[in-house]
Amino acid sequence: MSGPQCCANPPTLNPNSGAGHVEKLGGLNTYVTGSPDSKLAVLLISDIHGYEAPNLRKLADKVAAAGFYVAVPDFFHGDPYVADGGKPLQEWIKDHGVDKGFEEAKPVIQALKSKGITAIGAAGFCWGAKVIVQLAKREFIQAAVLLHPSFVTVDDIKGVEVPLSILGAEIDRLSPPALVKEFEEALNAKSEVDSFVKIFPKVAHGWTVRYNVEDESAVKAAEEAHRNLLEWFAKCGQAFAEGCLLRSSYAAAAAVS
């Protein structure tokens, strides 16, 4: 379920891009940006091109500017997919499985919590979406966004336990609109899970992070998706904060009585 669309418009990787910095988090080199005093964090998990993609880091900075502490780990350990001169894609995928990514995400989440973070939202792009949906099944995170997902199945969606947004592309052989509609139907059957599903017209797989910055229409479509992502995390973050206040008031009342 990976193919040419995963490799289209590859970014020019730049380890110095972004307003943040790289530090070890949960054992992984991680691009971090935003206020360390924030109680709300967003974990971004990249596509196969990795955490040094400038557009991805630009998005991380945008999310940080909205008040979140943002972490973008290097799940590929310095070995992102490179089309020219690198391993064939299927061989690279075997060496960088999403199950391994899921296991390595757990200590990253623990490290965020050790910083005083009380709620974590997570967004995954292509490869990263499968890792995110695995996290969302077991409440390691409090909210999730899948952007042009790869490898995700309807059964995955049925297992989700946290608020989930799915942003899909009209031109996507990995998660075509018909499959995204099946995801939506599965979520609609789970009334206890808040959800939002949107298919963007006239865009292709990868459009949210592998767009041409000089193409006005491509930038506009990407920015619309970024706004939807931010709106989702803001909504879920507010709901979590209100829930914490409610639980605190219950605890206080119980202590008095």
Side-chain angles (χ1 to χ4, degrees):
M1 288 190 66
S2 56
Q5 282 193 317
C6 282
C7 312
N9 305 316
T12 300
L13 302 182
N14 181 357
N16 298 314
S17 59
H21 66 277
V22 173
E23 65 179 55
K24 285 286 187 182
L25 194 67
L28 298 180
N29 286 334
T30 303
Y31 176 78
V32 296
T33 181
S35 172
D37 296 325
S38 177
K39 298 300 182 184
L40 303 176
V42 170
L43 173 66
L44 299 182
I45 302 186
S46 74
D47 62 13
I48 61 176
H49 300 285
Y51 86 133
E52 293 180 352
N55 284 350
L56 178 62
R57 290 191 176 186
K58 186 187 298 183
L59 174 57
D61 292 340
K62 186 185 297 186
V63 176
F68 297 93
Y69 184 71
V70 185
V72 191
D74 177 17
F75 286 99
F76 307 139
H77 301 273
D79 184 36
Y81 176 72
V82 178
D84 295 331
K87 295 178 182 178
L89 179 58
Q90 294 305 324
E91 183 179 337
W92 184 92
I93 290 287
K94 289 180 181 177
D95 292 339
H96 301 84
V98 289
D99 289 339
K100 181 182 178 184
F102 169 59
E103 292 302 323
E104 291 188 333
K106 296 176 186 178
V108 172
I109 289 170
Q110 284 304 120
L112 287 171
K113 291 180 178 178
S114 73
K115 291 177 177 286
I117 298 295
T118 56
I120 300 170
F125 308 81
C126 187
W127 182 96
K130 180 69 171 187
V131 179
I132 296 297
V133 82
Q134 297 289 74
L135 294 171
K137 292 178 183 178
R138 307 174 197 185
E139 298 188 348
F140 289 105
I141 55 180
Q142 281 65 59
V145 181
L146 311 182
L147 303 98
H148 38 89
S150 295
F151 309 113
V152 176
T153 68
V154 173
D155 284 340
D156 285 329
I157 301 301
K158 289 180 179 178
V160 166
E161 298 294 337
V162 303
L164 175 66
S165 172
I166 303 175
L167 305 181
E170 180 184 10
I171 308 164
D172 194 332
R173 291 190 293 273
L174 300 164
S175 287
L179 179 58
V180 175
K181 287 292 185 184
E182 289 186 53
F183 293 164
E184 184 174 30
E185 291 170 4
L187 288 168
N188 288 341
K190 294 174 66 74
S191 58
E192 72 280 10
V193 174
D194 196 9
S195 63
F196 174 79
V197 178
K198 181 175 179 178
I199 297 172
F200 285 68
K202 301 179 182 179
V203 298
H205 181 87
W207 93 96
T208 65
V209 286
R210 283 188 272 124
Y211 56 91
N212 181 348
V213 296
E214 296 179 357
D215 183 331
E216 185 177 342
S217 62
V219 171
K220 183 178 179 180
E223 289 182 341
E224 182 180 347
H226 299 166
R227 283 195 300 274
N228 290 159
L229 178 151
L230 276 169
E231 289 163 358
W232 186 250
F233 285 140
K235 173 185 175 182
C236 294
Q238 181 178 2
F240 182 83
E242 290 173 352
C244 285
L245 288 172
L246 190 59
R247 287 193 293 273
S248 296
S249 66
Y250 283 154
V256 170
S257 62

